[in-house]
Every structure is written in structure tokens, then in C-alpha cells.
Amino acid sequence: MDYSSTISSPSGANMRKVSGLIALALLMSNCWAADSGAGSAAQANNPLANMTAFNMQNYYMGDVSGTNKDANQFWFRYATPFSLGDSDWLLRASLPISTYPTPPAGGHQTGTGDLNVFASWLIDTGNPAVSFGFGPQVTLPTASEDALGTGKTSAGLVNVLFDASNPKFQYGYLASWQHSIGGEGDRADVNLATFQPFMFYQLGGGTYLRSAPIWAYNLHNDDYSMPLGLGIGQVIKDQKTVYNFFIEPQGSIADRGDGQPRWQIFAGLNLQFLD
């Protein structure tokens, strides 16, 4: 999953990284826009695309509720298709590197977070432009520090839809739920539901507008976060690799509880490797 609260040190290093991503995306857009085909651009944001993918994504949170601190979370994601009998599946693994403020002094800790893995069964919709899948997920307590993870092993379900029938406008969602099934007895139980709607509007030449916030609801304590975002991306196809640069500022329209991002900048580079 994409969702987790993370917090980074208020130094200017994170903002310089974000500025560098913006500059790089604009440079790529100007130099290589003509290299990107409409089909690649439409499928570049498909989480169920039938190809191996590696993503590097970053959330910089400039204002986190209850902390007066900022935060940062950098995600490594790897996805690959596989077959099980006559069925087609997609396996995705996600690991965050997080920087978080810790009570009571509010200093920051940095390290790995909890590893999330899901396997989605790809259903034949009868339309190759429409992808639909669901399957199990598990989150393992791999965090290097208590403040960076839940201390629990959790399991649940995911459901994904992506509709690229229209070459100009693509949309879909990723919904998930997970509940703790083991782990440290003195840590709070996990009972988390998330819903990520996503919309992409192609401007031509591989450039697109995007919105892909993650809405999260903690069923254990009724905390929640509901951001909205609007960003821009650039898709570049170079031989058998599709490069997808993007940046998307997001702001909260509703939230409850400590540790929720009031505003954040979501940016990254997604790679897809064609056969």
C-alpha cells in the first residue's frame, strides 16, 4: 500500500530533492516528449499492467498534525506478473524508508518501515483496456525502529481497477483492508482501510495531469485522512523501458487524529520494462 504516516527532518534537503525532481521532469518533458507513444502514456500509471515494474516514490509532508514537525517517506516498489495454473496474477512488494518524529522530545528517527506484499488475481474483463484484480495482502513488521512501524503482522485484501478505454482520460482505484494477526502484544492492533482513487488526463506528447490521493480510515481508533491532489507527469518510452516522472501536491480536506499530513508533495519515478 501507499499509505503510512511518516515524518522527516525539517532541513532543506528534502525540499531540494523535490525541486530537483520538478526540474528533471520539466527537462525530460522538453527534450523527450516526442518519444512517448499514446499507448505507453495511457498504460504508464496502470498498477495492474502486465509487465515488470520498479517504482521510486516519495512523500514529503510539510505539516503533520499533532507534531509541529515535517516528515518524509520514500518507497521502493517492485511488481511482476506471474501465472498460477491457468490464472494470471500480479505480485507487488513495497518497502518504505521513513523519517519520523518521536515523542516526547520530538526528535527524528530514520530507518526502514514495514514491508507490504500483495498478490492480485487478474480477472479477464473482456476488454484489454480494462484491468481488474483482487487478492490477499500481508504486512510484515520489518521496521528498524518502533516509531517507524506497527510491530504487528497484518493480513487482508486488495481490489484494483484501471480503465484505459479512453486514450485521453484514464481512471480507477486501489482499495485495501488489513487487520493485525500477530506481533508485539503491547502495540496497538491494526485495522486499517484505504481507498486510492486515481485519474489521469493526457495532454499529448506523454505529458499528463494526475490526481492519486490515498484516503485512509483507522477502524481501531476512528482516525482518518482525506487529501486531494493535482499534479503533472511526463511519460517517456525509450526502447523497452517506459519512464514515468511525476509530481503531485496534495492537501487535506478532512482529517482526525495525530500523525495526519495537512499538506504533502508526492513525487517519483516509475519504470516499466516491456517484453
Side-chain angles (χ1 to χ4, degrees):
M1 300 301 303
D2 293 332
Y3 179 77
S4 186
S5 298
T6 47
I7 306 175
S8 94
S9 130
S11 71
N14 289 308
M15 293 309 297
R16 288 195 295 271
K17 291 177 183 177
V18 170
S19 300
L21 281 169
I22 297 173
L24 182 59
L26 291 175
L27 177 62
M28 295 298 187
S29 174
N30 290 334
C31 293
W32 292 327
D35 253 357
S36 192
S40 298
Q43 286 292 331
N45 293 294
N46 183 356
L48 294 178
N50 188 27
M51 63 187 76
T52 299
F54 180 66
N55 302 339
M56 295 168 285
Q57 301 175 349
N58 191 78
Y59 287 88
Y60 172 75
M61 306 174 192
D63 181 8
V64 179
S65 62
T67 68
N68 293 320
K69 300 286 184 179
D70 63 350
N72 201 77
Q73 189 172 54
F74 187 91
W75 286 89
F76 293 102
R77 285 199 169 90
Y78 176 78
T80 187
F82 69 98
S83 296
L84 193 61
D86 293 331
S87 60
D88 294 323
W89 292 73
L90 184 81
L91 178 71
R92 191 181 85 169
S94 303
L95 180 69
I97 307 297
S98 305
T99 304
Y100 237 99
T102 55
H108 289 77
Q109 289 186 336
T110 298
T112 57
D114 291 342
L115 174 68
N116 175 263
V117 180
F118 75 71
S120 180
W121 176 31
L122 306 180
I123 308 300
D124 185 359
T125 64
N127 182 349
V130 178
S131 303
F132 182 82
F134 69 90
Q137 71 163 327
V138 62
T139 299
L140 303 176
T142 56
S144 58
E145 305 288 345
D146 285 351
L148 306 180
T150 64
K152 297 285 188 178
T153 298
S154 301
L157 298 169
V158 296
N159 172 219
V160 189
L161 168 72
F162 187 80
D163 191 328
S165 300
N166 188 318
K168 292 288 289 184
F169 178 66
Q170 299 83 49
Y171 65 92
Y173 65 82
L174 191 159
S176 80
W177 168 80
Q178 58 183 319
H179 195 289
S180 52
I181 57 174
E184 300 176 19
D186 59 346
R187 302 289 296 274
D189 287 338
V190 173
N191 192 2
L192 180 67
T194 69
F195 183 76
Q196 182 181 22
F198 35 76
M199 296 173 286
F200 308 99
Y201 184 79
Q202 304 299 326
L203 299 175
T207 305
Y208 65 93
L209 300 178
R210 58 173 289 132
S211 181
I214 298 174
W215 302 337
Y217 185 77
N218 187 330
L219 288 85
H220 180 69
N221 60 13
D222 291 328
D223 287 354
Y224 57 85
S225 173
M226 184 176 288
L228 286 180
L230 180 62
I232 190 168
Q234 177 67 45
V235 175
I236 302 151
K237 182 182 178 186
D238 182 18
Q239 298 182 8
K240 292 188 175 183
T241 303
V242 176
Y243 301 85
N244 182 3
F245 301 85
F246 67 88
I247 186 165
E248 182 183 329
Q250 299 177 348
S252 174
I253 59 170
D255 59 76
R256 179 182 185 274
D258 292 343
Q260 311 298 343
R262 296 289 172 76
W263 68 265
Q264 59 190 357
I265 298 175
F266 179 34
L269 167 62
N270 299 342
L271 304 176
Q272 292 176 328
F273 305 103
L274 309 175
D275 291 335

